Amino acid sequence: EAGVTQFPSHSVIEKGQTVTLRCDPISGHDNLYWYRRVMGKEIKFLLHFVKESKQDESGMPNNRFLAERTGGTYSTLKVQPAELEDSGVYFCASSRIPGSSYNEQFFGPGTRLTVL
Amino acid sequence: GNSVTQMEGPVTLSEEAFLTINCTYTATGYPSLFWYVQYPGEGLQLLLKATKADDKGSNKGFEATYRKETTSFHLEKGSVQVSDSAVYFCALGNTGNQFYFGTGTSLTVIP
């Protein structure tokens, strides 16, 4: 079974530009999550999709971030316009059933975003 | 609220040394606790988990015991190998769907 994949692995952009990150979850996993790790700090939750619907987007930092999951398969996370503080590693995770309390979330390798 | 506090790194050990990485948590209710590991160039992988107090999770020689009285979930391994070099994350899952992570501890094992 293929794992969670993310593209690109690295992205370097200038402040003010737009970047789109992509995540392909494990096939059959309805739940998809985005997390971010900034400057070696803790990994923080951004949002959670169930199929194509946003279940929880309480962690999205501001309206420069837009996540979509059309068709309930892959997801994109767009940052527009990017700011310096958006630099970090963006992780995607998926699970077959909701991840609360008992269930493992399967993580991708992350996309390292650097905003100059 | 929910939070995880994890031992600061980086940690450097010689091969066959004993490893402890401390993790304490704050939570309401009855969370589950996890250790994830990130090897260089790879994604986070579940290392072990415990879903209730006094449970011990174990995998690949690593162990952690869910201690409700001390709100801790310390990771231990009796004899580390070079291949254990990675970043280790303690995480908590509670009601709701997000996980709460610690800051990560980078471990380097030297031969």
Side-chain angles (χ1 to χ4, degrees):
Chain A
E1 174 179 76
V4 177
T5 58
Q6 293 187 244
F7 182 82
S9 56
H10 294 86
S11 180
V12 180
I13 60 173
E14 294 191 351
K15 176 183 171 180
Q17 290 186 322
T18 297
V19 63
T20 300
L21 313 181
R22 174 172 169 143
C23 168
D24 287 78
I26 293 171
S27 178
H29 283 194
D30 287 340
N31 295 273
L32 186 150
Y33 312 81
W34 283 98
Y35 291 85
R36 177 174 74 169
R37 186 184 190 210
V38 174
M39 289 289 290
K41 296 187 177 179
E42 69 269 27
I43 299 171
K44 284 194 171 181
F45 169 82
L46 296 178
L47 87 159
H48 168 218
F49 284 98
V50 177
K51 296 185 180 179
E52 67 275 9
S53 299
K54 291 176 186 173
Q55 184 77 10
D56 180 358
E57 52 184 329
S58 60
M60 294 288 265
N62 52 61
N63 59 10
R64 296 185 293 102
F65 289 75
L66 175 64
E68 295 180 322
R69 192 182 182 195
T70 307
T73 54
Y74 71 91
S75 174
T76 58
L77 180 64
K78 180 190 287 188
V79 185
Q80 178 183 30
E83 298 289 345
L84 299 180
E85 63 265 24
D86 301 332
S87 296
V89 180
Y90 290 76
F91 291 100
C92 177
S94 71
S95 67
R96 186 177 300 277
I97 51 180
S100 64
S101 287
Y102 301 109
N103 302 299
E104 176 185 358
Q105 295 181 11
F106 296 84
F107 282 80
T111 293
R112 181 174 296 277
L113 174 65
T114 302
V115 182
L116 302 176
Chain B
N2 300 296
S3 67
V4 173
T5 301
Q6 188 174 340
M7 185 174 109
E8 295 283 336
V11 174
T12 302
L13 294 174
S14 297
E15 207 165 23
E16 299 183 3
F18 185 85
L19 170 71
T20 299
I21 300 178
N22 290 336
C23 172
T24 57
Y25 68 89
T26 302
T28 55
Y30 305 95
S32 290
L33 300 171
F34 305 81
W35 276 100
Y36 277 83
V37 58
Q38 185 180 25
Y39 298 103
E42 299 184 16
L44 296 170
Q45 302 174 21
L46 179 67
L47 181 59
L48 52 84
K49 72 176 185 181
T51 59
K52 61 183 187 295
D54 299 326
D55 266 4
K56 177 187 283 188
S58 61
N59 186 25
K60 299 182 181 179
F62 290 88
E63 294 182 340
T65 301
Y66 187 161
R67 301 282 189 202
K68 197 167 194 288
E69 64 275 15
T70 54
T71 62
S72 65
F73 193 55
H74 305 321
L75 182 68
E76 296 182 336
K77 186 173 185 182
S79 176
V80 293
Q81 306 300 311
V82 172
S83 57
D84 294 325
S85 297
V87 181
Y88 293 82
F89 293 91
C90 185
L92 176 155
N94 209 335
T95 56
N97 294 293
Q98 62 174 287
F99 278 9
Y100 299 85
F101 285 88
T103 53
T105 301
S106 175
L107 170 67
T108 301
V109 180
I110 54 177

